[in-house]
Amino acid sequence: MAMHGSARRGSSPPAQPRGQNEPPVRASGWRRRLLNARSVASQVFLLQLAIVVILVVATLLVIVVQVRNQANDQARDEVLVSGETFANGPGMVAALESPDPTAVLQPRAEAVRERSGLDAVVVTDTDGIRLTHPDPEQIGKPFIGTIEPSLEGRTTVENAEGPMVPGGDTDVVQSVVPVLRADGSVAGIVSTSVTVKHVNRDVAGRLPVLLGTAGGALIVAAGGSGLVSRRLKRQTHGLGPAEMTRMYEHHDAVLHSVREGVLIVGADGRLLLANDEARRLLDLPADAERRRTTDLGLAPATARLLTSGESVTDAVHRVGDRLLAVNVRPVGRHGGPAGSVATLRDSTELRALAGRAELARERLQLLYDAGVGIGTTLDVARTAEELTEVAVPRFADFATIELLDAVMRGDEPDDTDAPMRRIAVRGIQDDPPLYPAGESIRFVPGSPMFQGLATGHGVLAADLAASEGWRAQDPERARRVLDHGIHSLISVPLRARGVVLGSANFWRSEQESFTPDDVSFAEELSARAAVSIDNARRYAREHTVAVTLQRSLLPHALPEQSALEVAHRYLPAEAGVGGDWFDVIPLPGARVALVVGDVVGHGLHAAATMGRLRTAVHNFSALDRAPDEVLGHLDELAARIDADETDPEGVGAGMMLGATCLYAIYDPVSGRCTLARAGHPGPVVVHPDGRSEFPDVPVSPPLGLGAGMPVETAELQLAEGSTLALYTDGLVEDRRRDLEIGFDLLRGALAETVDRSPDEVCQVVLDTVLPEQPADDVALLVARTRRIPPERVAEWDVPDDPAAVSRVRADVTRKLADWGLDEAAFATELIVSELVTNAIRYGTEPISLRLLHDRNSLICEVSDGSSTSPHLRRAKSTDEGGRGLFLVARFAHRWGTRYTGRGKVIWTEQSLHHANHAAATDSEETLLDQWGDDSGF
């Protein structure tokens, strides 16, 4: 502009040339002329100064507004994050449901408030009554704010006014966050807040810098304008119209190049100035200036806002398809022209970005909830239902899950073309026209489900009405689905470890149609569920195998015996098969052994170990050992099992970790019951009069951990009709109750069933004592005692004299006649003769003979004081003896030897239902002929 002024002087001489002797112009006179608005230079100076002031003020306003908005947004984000963090903290639901929530939550809230710099952390119940507050006097008073959205499970951030913090009423920014239980219900509300004064501290801290910068800019601009005007004045002696226009265009370009709309509205409501951005945002007509704002076609609310004369910060108004953030500041308060300045900022993109961020946050939260809520059990069907519960209604309005039948059985799926069974259906409405749960479905080619299974990826059908493949599956049902309002579908195959398990389908009716972005989310959600379903499938397979193995190892039917009336129950645990077992083993002399045991642990290993121990118990029982000896042998066996299952490095790959066992022998002749237990719960005895008790049975260490320690026994004298209950710890143990409560329940249930059959007693005990969700398997054995009448028992003391054999044989014959067993007399005489003769010849005194007439058998027992046991051997043709035991074995159903503390007992048992009458008529010579050189003995 200086060059332009010089050219102007060269072409036109000054209007009034000065003389050589004319005095110079004084500075004071120059300033007066410069301030004279009539001169062009003065007008340029004033115009420049005015434009700079407007720009500086506008920019300052914008910056201040932006800083204030940023501080306010930061405060809103801060209270929202802190509120959600405190509401979702561990123990919140338990604290709200405690007897005194304020005592638990007030210290926490104050600690969070002091650490986070918040002004208040308030917890209320669902009725809006404060449970915590920085001012203790406000506790118990109603919460000031909006809680209705939070009662519906939503989070809000709002401005409120009231006694939020100590010191009186004030404006605050507060969040209102629900505290959700595991089932989604609201347990309480958390509100965190900061005061507006607190928010404005940051803005006030920046104002001196901004004002100083603006003042410096204004001073620099004014000084520059003064220098330029002085130079122009000196060079041009006044500005012309061209220079004035040029200067105006420059400042006008600056005003219209800013990315925010600027409006200046006069006191009379007329638009004085609108830059290009304001015209574009408001779609103003070309002749908008000097017209009233109400005549510009603006929305009434927007027009009122521009002419209200009040200060407004970031008021959001919809103009067409845009969301504008409007800031209005009145002018003229300090002597200037009345009116207001408004700035406009297009926040549509920011709002869209914020919406996408919120959607992403919700999706991440949904995935987190899926990780927590899916797979809580190892049940395939329940896991599928959990997927639908997570998806509806937060992602879809309806959700359906189909699985291959092989998956439901726990098998490895190998045919994706096989029909699938719908396992779970869930929706925002009951009874949708979709296939119900349990329906077997074969998807037709071209349907979204078929395509998803074929490609391994999710398939989107945004408009079901236009999906011919989906409608071809079932045209009539498709019509009803569309009439129900369902309009959009995403079908995702459920895949785990590269194997297709089934299909997950998400439907929408009230929400907007699915978009391609939703497909990837549905795939991620389904992939997490597929892993849990596959885990449940594999568990179901292993559980089935273990249950099958265990049931194959347990007795399928109880053996016949007359000493006890027995009933039993076995229940496998839901979490896995254990090692519980029971047995009823008939013993010689009409006695019966009752066994109940429990291997520590679950799974196939526990079941297999149980089978080994049960087999060992049978083998040891066949030797007719006492209970303490049987458990001693079992302890040694268990220790060897542990040693065998330890690898060379000394780490147990499948260690048994011990087992427990209770072994009891009941004698129906004497009514005595001998018991021993190794780490196992003691039995319960119910006497015929209804009195129940836990007898004192010494306890030894569990099997495998006894380290050779002796096992003690106990003897009980049981009256006929007494009930003996043996059980495993899974019946009485429960994490939610004390062990003594379980024992009391068991004793009480047995005492009330004295007149019921053992089978009924088992059912009553399970109904009364068994926990709702047993963590361990349960074995229960209930036995009702019987006695052999004294008149069916005969005993004789035998002197150590061979001549006594004939007298004993005659006594036996008479007793058999009294019992009506004449048909068994010949075989019995022969057996008694051989056994008594052997006892006199090879045994020691005392010698005795006992006959027992059981219901189905005749038992003969010969005891002596020696421990020498006879055995079958092959007799040579020249031997005089060696054939007696052969005769005993020929006529007896079974025979054997058992040892006592005073010697041994040789016993035989003859079956009365299968008496060998042909054998009774054979002569002795004929029988001896069978013991030739070619016999099998």
Side-chain angles (χ1 to χ4, degrees), residues 477-545:
R477 187 176 293 275
R479 182 187 60 78
R480 286 187 283 134
V481 169
L482 294 174
D483 292 342
H484 194 73
I486 299 176
H487 56 77
S488 186
L489 162 69
I490 292 179
S491 180
V492 182
L494 294 172
R495 295 169 57 90
R497 299 180 297 106
V499 177
V500 175
L501 307 175
S503 177
N505 306 303
F506 306 98
W507 315 75
R508 282 186 177 178
S509 59
E510 297 185 0
Q511 302 183 47
E512 296 181 357
S513 298
F514 287 114
T515 64
D517 292 339
D518 295 323
V519 177
S520 59
F521 175 78
E523 290 178 338
E524 176 67 19
L525 184 62
S526 300
R528 299 193 178 197
V531 173
S532 298
I533 292 175
D534 187 58
N535 290 339
R537 176 194 65 80
R538 298 170 69 182
Y539 169 79
R541 179 182 60 189
E542 295 180 2
H543 183 72
T544 301
V545 171

Side-chain angles (χ1 to χ4, degrees), residues 55 58 161 172 192 197 218 267 367 436-437 444 451 460 479 510 516 597 658 696 709 786 813 916:
L55 291 177
E161 181 179 356
V172 297
T192 56
K197 182 186 300 184
L218 184 59
L367 288 177
V444 301
Q451 295 176 9
L460 169 64
R479 182 187 60 78
E510 297 185 0
D696 185 14
M709 296 181 63
R786 295 170 177 162
T813 302
N916 194 339

Side-chain angles (χ1 to χ4, degrees), residues 677-893:
R677 60 184 177 128
H680 201 84
V684 182
V685 176
V686 182
H687 298 280
D689 58 0
R691 179 171 49 89
S692 61
E693 63 175 343
F694 287 93
D696 185 14
V697 179
V699 59
S700 301
L703 302 178
L705 305 176
M709 296 181 63
V711 179
E712 299 183 51
T713 61
E715 282 195 0
L716 306 177
Q717 187 66 39
L718 301 179
E720 185 173 9
S722 300
T723 300
L724 188 66
L726 283 65
Y727 54 93
T728 56
D729 56 4
L731 178 66
V732 294
E733 286 187 352
D734 187 5
R735 291 188 297 268
R736 290 163 295 188
R737 72 185 182 197
D738 189 74
L739 183 61
E740 293 299 326
I741 296 178
F743 285 127
D744 292 340
L745 290 174
L746 175 60
R747 180 166 51 190
L750 289 171
E752 296 176 358
T753 57
V754 64
D755 297 328
R756 300 190 182 185
S757 67
D759 190 73
E760 293 175 335
V761 172
C762 287
Q763 192 59 47
V764 170
V765 168
L766 293 182
D767 295 341
T768 305
V769 185
L770 190 66
E772 295 182 1
Q773 295 180 343
D776 196 3
D777 48 349
V778 175
L780 174 64
L781 195 63
V782 175
R784 184 72 51 77
T785 60
R786 295 170 177 162
R787 296 286 294 271
I788 296 179
E791 60 270 16
R792 287 177 174 252
V793 180
E795 295 186 75
W796 295 274
D797 292 329
V798 180
D800 189 8
D801 181 6
V805 175
S806 60
R807 295 195 302 270
V808 171
R809 187 167 54 240
D811 293 339
V812 169
T813 302
R814 284 193 297 272
K815 179 57 68 175
L816 293 178
D818 294 341
W819 288 345
L821 300 178
D822 295 328
E823 294 181 355
F826 175 77
T828 306
E829 288 181 21
L830 181 60
I831 291 172
V832 168
S833 296
E834 292 296 332
L835 295 183
V836 172
T837 300
N838 284 340
I840 294 174
R841 180 178 302 176
Y842 303 108
T844 60
E845 292 185 325
I847 302 172
S848 63
L849 167 66
R850 186 172 73 166
L851 290 182
L852 303 177
H853 180 197
D854 200 2
R855 289 188 304 176
N856 303 319
S857 63
L858 178 64
I859 301 170
C860 175
E861 298 178 342
V862 176
S863 62
D864 66 80
S866 71
S867 59
T868 303
S869 175
H871 60 277
L872 284 174
R873 65 181 180 89
R874 181 187 179 95
K876 297 180 180 180
S877 59
T878 58
D879 291 343
E880 294 184 0
R883 298 176 178 84
L885 284 182
F886 164 72
L887 295 176
V888 172
R890 179 67 178 82
F891 282 94
H893 178 63

Side-chain angles (χ1 to χ4, degrees), residues 344-413:
L344 312 173
R345 185 175 69 254
D346 191 352
S347 62
T348 305
E349 296 181 358
L350 294 177
R351 292 280 176 168
L353 181 60
R356 289 193 294 270
E358 179 65 18
L359 178 61
R361 189 192 66 80
E362 292 176 356
R363 293 290 170 84
L364 287 175
Q365 182 64 38
L366 184 56
L367 288 177
Y368 171 78
D369 294 342
V372 174
I374 298 177
T376 58
T377 66
L378 289 173
D379 181 78
V380 174
R382 178 56 190 154
T383 304
E385 292 174 356
E386 289 173 343
L387 172 57
T388 62
E389 292 172 358
V390 170
V392 177
R394 298 164 65 182
F395 177 67
D397 295 324
F398 298 92
T400 58
I401 308 296
E402 297 85 37
L403 297 177
L404 292 165
D405 288 336
V407 176
M408 298 300 300
R409 296 192 302 268
D411 299 333
E412 189 81 15

